[in-house]
Amino acid sequence: MPWLRDQHANPHSAHAAGRKAKAVVELARDQVAALLPPGGTLAFTSGATEALNWAIKGLGGSVVTLASEHAAVLDTVAALRSGGQEVTVLPVGGGRAGRSRSGARGDRAGHETGRGDAGQ
């Protein structure tokens, strides 16, 4: 993978290295898209924060998360809350495990979100 080691270029640049990088990005996009089921969707983002924003904002309904989440998650859910969306940020217990406190989830996760894996 020379593109991660020593052949760095912006695929949006007009110079030769940029055009080559663009061709490699398009090839990678096509290869990954070929792995998806028919009708599947592939979206490239500029990084983790953008990807988290897309994922969280695309959920709709209420959002349940943990207080120990990354700031990119907490900032996004705070913006949703200020816009009127229902958001629950669950506390975490002490120690290093970062687990929600026993009983803190109550009926919030799964029931109101419609997602049985929320907060687990």
Side-chain angles (χ1 to χ4, degrees), residues 13 19 21 26 31 33 42 62 65-66 70 76 106-107 120:
S13 296
R19 290 191 305 272
E26 291 303 320
Q31 290 172 336
L42 175 66
S62 62
T65 191
L66 293 172
H70 189 276
T76 300
D107 290 333
Q120 292 181 9

Side-chain angles (χ1 to χ4, degrees), residues 14-65:
H15 52 68
R19 290 191 305 272
K20 189 172 182 180
K22 182 176 183 174
V24 170
V25 168
E26 291 303 320
L27 175 63
R29 186 184 315 256
D30 291 344
Q31 290 172 336
V32 173
L35 299 172
L36 297 175
T41 302
L42 175 66
F44 282 84
T45 66
S46 63
T49 299
E50 183 181 4
L52 288 167
N53 274 294
W54 276 18
I56 295 167
K57 290 177 179 178
L59 288 173
S62 62
V63 176
V64 178
T65 191

